[in-house]
Structure formats: structure tokens, C-alpha cells
Amino acid sequence: MKVEFVNPFITSLKNVVGTMAMIELEVQKPKRKKNEVSFGDVSGIIGMVGPQVKGSMAITFDRDLAFNIMKNMLGDAATTIDEEVRDMVGEMTNMICGGAKNALSEQGYQFEMAVPVIISGANHCIQHKVDGPKIIITFASDLGKAYLEICFDR
Amino acid sequence: MKVEFVNPFITSLKNVVGTMAMIELEVQKPKRKKNEVSFGDVSGIIGMVGPQVKGSMAITFDRDLAFNIMKNMLGDAATTIDEEVRDMVGEMTNMICGGAKNALSEQGYQFEMAVPVIISGANHCIQHKVDGPKIIITFASDLGKAYLEICFDR
């Protein structure tokens, strides 16, 4: 997978969380591992299909970051991963993938997004089923962590 | 969402589990609820995108059914949701969605499948972010349960 595919997702995630929740995330070095999995408390997953592109994106938040995003967006700190938190994660998944879609479209890569799916459950694990490598990127901050996993089959 | 969209997924799931693991699943009445969520221990999720179709499918297994499928397929009973179980769920997700894709294609509905994503974690919860209704179908057996959730945006 080429770096020009990954960078728009990284930029979009930083932009969305920065703009919506005023939280500055520090991007750690992308890891390319076959058996690495990401763990978190609430995740959004979305599929992508296009003529040259077939893949999926998962964004996983730990509780701390999810609660802090809610607090900064709405003024109320969440105390459980409830309907409101799941809605926020679904919305962010759409926005992050949509931002990357626009950037990639300008580079000549077109794809359509499927419907976001939200997963909640303490310390669940996400794994893409794909023959090639997957890219996992950790986003760190004092307010919690997020993990972005992207893979493309072609 | 029309019933002709849902039935091919039901048939395909029954076929795949019946053929691969010789387990007969009993289909319960589909539920159409806006806020219903499915809970399980290991899930496969896949996005679908086509000219008339945009959606996603999630198939969730409880531990008992996942372990019994492994036992019937490989002879060895699994005792944890490990790499092998997750691989099996990813493979089944592809096969179930692929079977429905073929059936729907014969009815004139074309779509491409994204990449399957596997979720594990005790009692995690899956929720599609979609404005319209979602369909949840429970599959029961003496050996455990599975839940199929399908939604389409258009």
C-alpha cells in the first residue's frame, strides 16, 4: 500500500478531532505488521469500494479520548459508552473517511463509502482480513489515544 | 428495505454454516428496530457498495457457536477466540456476503464487497449507523447462536 493512500486518512483524522473537539493528536510512526491488532473501547468501521480501490478503515478510541471528545463537543463528560458516544463515533468515522475520500479523489483515486458500523465493548480487538499488509497508526494525547487501521486489497 | 434484499443473506448464512460445519441453524423472525443492537463474542463485518446499493452486513457469533463451528470443521474444539477462530469468521463473512451478492446479482442488484473486518472481545455490541431501519435476524441452535444484521442506505 502506497504512502499517498495513508496520509490523507492521517490528516483527516487529525483535522476532524482538532476541529470538532479542539484536541491536538500527536501522530506516531505508522506500523506495517501482518498480525498486529488494535484494541479499544469504541470503534467505527467503514468499507470503501472503487474501481482501483477496495478496503476498509477502522478508527478505535479508548474510553478516555472518547469521553474527552464528548466533553469538548457538548460540554458534558460522558461516563459510559452510550448511544450519544456511539453516534459521535459513527459521525466521526463518516467525516474522517469522507475527508480522505476527497483528498484521494483529487489524486485520481475514486471510491464510494459503505455505511459506518460502530462497535462498543471494553477492550475489543479489531482485525482486517486481508492478504497484504495493514497499516496501524497510533494517535496519542494527554486526553487519551486513538488507533487508525487502514487496509486495501488492491 | 425490501424483503428480497434480506432473504439472500439468510439463505447464504444457513448454507455456509450448514455446508462448512454441518450445523443446522433455525432462523427466527427478522426484527426491524431502530435501536436494537446485537451482542456477541466474535463478529465479521463487511461493507457493500453498488449503483443501487450501499450498506453493510455484520454476522456475530456467540462463543459456543464459534467453538462448535471450529470443532466440526477442524476436529479440534477451540477454547479461546484466537487467530484461527478469527480467520474462520473472516472467511465465513466473505462467503456469506458473496453468496448473497450472487443471488442479488441475478435479481438485478449489483454491488462490490469491501474487505472483511473481524471484531473480537467478550460481549461486544455492533450497531449500524444508518437513518433507515435495520434488520436483525437471530439464528438459533443447540450449539449456540448467531446474529445477522443488515442495513442499506439506499
Side-chain angles (χ1 to χ4, degrees):
Chain A
M1 189 161 48
K2 301 168 194 167
V3 70
E4 67 245 43
F5 265 81
V6 178
N7 283 341
F9 290 91
I10 296 177
T11 308
S12 186
L13 193 155
K14 268 182 71 85
N15 282 350
V16 168
V17 175
T19 311
M20 303 281 289
M22 284 153 295
I23 294 174
E24 177 86 17
L25 294 175
E26 183 203 319
V27 185
Q28 298 182 353
K29 200 171 175 310
K31 290 185 212 164
R32 175 191 285 236
K33 279 199 180 162
K34 244 193 134 169
N35 296 314
E36 184 116 354
V37 292
S38 27
F39 289 91
D41 301 309
V42 57
S43 303
I45 294 174
I46 194 160
M48 298 170 280
V49 176
Q52 313 119 304
V53 181
K54 179 176 166 176
S56 66
M57 179 199 95
I59 166 83
T60 299
F61 298 92
D62 65 15
R63 288 169 68 90
D64 287 346
L65 185 57
F67 291 171
N68 277 302
I69 290 173
M70 290 302 285
K71 192 176 164 195
N72 287 12
M73 281 173 67
L74 305 177
D76 290 330
T79 51
T80 57
I81 308 274
D82 59 8
E83 199 61 30
E84 262 189 332
V85 175
R86 287 197 291 260
D87 270 354
M88 176 275 288
V89 170
E91 203 54 61
M92 287 219 162
T93 305
N94 252 335
M95 292 171 73
I96 293 163
C97 195
K101 177 183 189 301
N102 290 344
L104 285 166
S105 158
E106 287 170 14
Q107 295 176 31
Y109 299 104
Q110 312 284 342
F111 62 85
E112 292 299 319
M113 288 153 54
V115 173
V117 181
I118 301 115
I119 320 293
S120 50
N123 212 26
H124 63 259
C125 134
I126 304 258
Q127 201 173 10
H128 286 78
K129 171 122 182 111
V130 65
D131 293 331
K134 304 165 283 196
I135 307 287
I136 299 181
I137 301 133
T138 303
F139 295 79
S141 80
D142 294 346
L143 301 173
K145 282 186 174 181
Y147 307 89
L148 176 67
E149 189 167 334
I150 308 168
C151 75
F152 287 105
D153 233 9
R154 60 170 191 238
Chain B
M1 190 162 47
K2 300 169 193 166
V3 70
E4 67 245 43
F5 264 80
V6 178
N7 284 340
F9 290 91
I10 297 177
T11 307
S12 186
L13 194 155
K14 269 182 69 85
N15 282 349
V16 168
V17 175
T19 311
M20 303 281 289
M22 284 153 295
I23 295 174
E24 177 86 17
L25 295 175
E26 183 202 320
V27 185
Q28 297 182 354
K29 201 172 176 311
K31 289 185 210 166
R32 177 191 286 235
K33 279 198 180 160
K34 245 195 133 167
N35 296 313
E36 183 117 353
V37 291
S38 26
F39 289 92
D41 300 309
V42 58
S43 302
I45 294 173
I46 193 160
M48 297 169 280
V49 176
Q52 313 119 306
V53 180
K54 180 176 165 174
S56 66
M57 179 198 96
I59 166 81
T60 299
F61 298 93
D62 65 14
R63 289 170 68 90
D64 287 348
L65 186 56
F67 291 171
N68 277 303
I69 289 173
M70 289 303 285
K71 191 177 162 194
N72 287 11
M73 281 173 67
L74 305 177
D76 291 329
T79 50
T80 56
I81 309 273
D82 59 8
E83 199 60 30
E84 262 189 333
V85 175
R86 288 198 291 260
D87 269 354
M88 175 278 286
V89 170
E91 203 54 60
M92 288 218 162
T93 304
N94 252 335
M95 291 171 72
I96 292 163
C97 195
K101 177 182 189 299
N102 291 343
L104 285 166
S105 158
E106 285 168 15
Q107 295 175 33
Y109 299 104
Q110 312 284 343
F111 62 84
E112 292 297 320
M113 290 153 52
V115 172
V117 182
I118 302 114
I119 319 293
S120 50
N123 212 27
H124 62 260
C125 135
I126 303 260
Q127 202 171 10
H128 285 80
K129 171 121 184 110
V130 65
D131 292 332
K134 304 165 284 196
I135 307 286
I136 299 182
I137 301 134
T138 302
F139 295 78
S141 80
D142 294 345
L143 301 174
K145 282 185 173 182
Y147 307 88
L148 177 67
E149 189 166 335
I150 308 168
C151 74
F152 287 105
D153 233 10
R154 57 169 194 241

